[in-house]
Amino acid sequence: MTNQTRCAWVSSDPLYITYHDTEWGKPLHDEQKLFELLILEGFQSGLSWITILRKREDFREAFDQFDYHQIAQWTDEKLQECLANPKIIRNRLKINAVKMNAQAFIKIQEKFGSFDRYIWEFVSFTPLQNHFFSHQELPSSTELSLAMSKSLKKYGFKFVGPTICYSFMQAAGLVNDHITECFCYSKK
């Protein structure tokens, strides 16, 4: 871990530093990882992202490694098992949404050929290059994240409001919101 300039939201926590340096803002095109990220962004709502990162492996274990085909077939017993799991965030609405979101994810794949194609079309398949100088300039949502939210909801997704969608866009590299001084800024 070097002393390079990073985005201001990155704490000194090695997990956060590694996430920032190796994942956040890098264009993501893997279907299962896109599904995982969208689900975790929904769970992050109202919490800090470091809380989610610390529980990510537990979420993977509880959520069948984010195998959306498997999750789409979850039984009520499996949902109850997740609700009883002390290692993850046990919010009934969010846990129930995981199954609905897996089913919606598959619908989008069937209609567009892949979720990747569907989601990246929002930015014309090229990451939007922002030029923010400070963390305070970062928006919590945009017109584009509002459009994405409306579209995802139309397909049956839950916990995909405009703020969650914008956070997803940042993390999945649809937008480059590294501050201009961050050493990751030029690494699209």
Side-chain angles (χ1 to χ4, degrees):
M1 319 270 170
T2 64
N3 288 329
Q4 296 175 336
T5 301
R6 291 183 173 85
C7 295
W9 56 265
V10 181
S11 69
S12 61
D13 187 307
L15 185 62
Y16 232 7
I17 292 170
T18 299
Y19 173 72
H20 170 271
D21 293 359
T22 63
E23 291 183 59
W24 193 79
K26 295 199 183 299
L28 183 60
H29 295 283
D30 179 274
E31 294 287 288
Q32 194 160 329
K33 289 180 180 176
L34 286 165
F35 177 72
E36 175 180 327
L37 182 59
L38 193 59
I39 296 300
L40 292 178
E41 289 290 353
F43 270 88
Q44 186 264 335
S45 178
L47 302 168
S48 67
W49 186 246
I50 193 66
T51 300
I52 301 302
L53 283 180
R54 288 181 181 140
K55 293 180 176 286
R56 183 160 60 169
E57 289 305 319
D58 295 321
F59 274 112
R60 286 175 176 159
E61 185 179 323
F63 293 169
D64 299 319
Q65 301 303 314
F66 289 95
D67 179 337
Y68 45 87
H69 291 290
Q70 200 168 339
I71 294 169
Q73 303 300 317
W74 274 2
T75 62
D76 288 342
E77 291 77 22
K78 177 63 177 181
L79 290 168
Q80 289 304 316
E81 181 184 311
C82 289
L83 283 168
N85 186 337
K87 295 180 179 180
I88 64 170
I89 295 159
R90 295 178 289 173
N91 177 301
R92 180 177 298 281
L93 293 175
K94 290 178 181 181
I95 288 174
N96 287 336
V98 173
K99 179 179 178 179
M100 290 183 275
N101 288 353
Q103 293 167 341
F105 192 88
I106 292 167
K107 278 186 214 169
I108 285 177
Q109 286 180 319
E110 290 169 353
K111 181 169 183 174
F112 294 91
S114 71
F115 185 82
D116 177 66
R117 181 176 301 140
Y118 161 79
I119 209 71
W120 277 89
E121 190 171 345
F122 283 95
V123 293
S124 301
F125 305 99
T126 303
L128 301 177
Q129 183 69 33
N130 288 324
H131 307 282
F132 297 119
F133 297 98
S134 73
H135 179 68
Q136 290 75 23
E137 292 178 74
L138 296 174
S140 60
S141 65
T142 62
E143 288 298 318
L144 193 56
S145 72
L146 178 61
M148 181 183 288
S149 172
K150 286 181 179 178
S151 180
L152 287 167
K153 287 177 182 178
K154 182 178 85 174
Y155 286 101
F157 278 87
K158 304 291 182 200
F159 291 95
V160 289
T163 301
I164 289 171
C165 284
Y166 195 71
S167 184
F168 171 81
M169 291 172 68
Q170 292 172 311
L174 280 83
V175 296
N176 180 1
D177 272 356
H178 287 282
I179 60 167
T180 55
E181 288 185 353
C182 177
F183 81 97
C184 292
Y185 173 73
S186 63
K187 297 179 182 178
K188 295 178 195 169

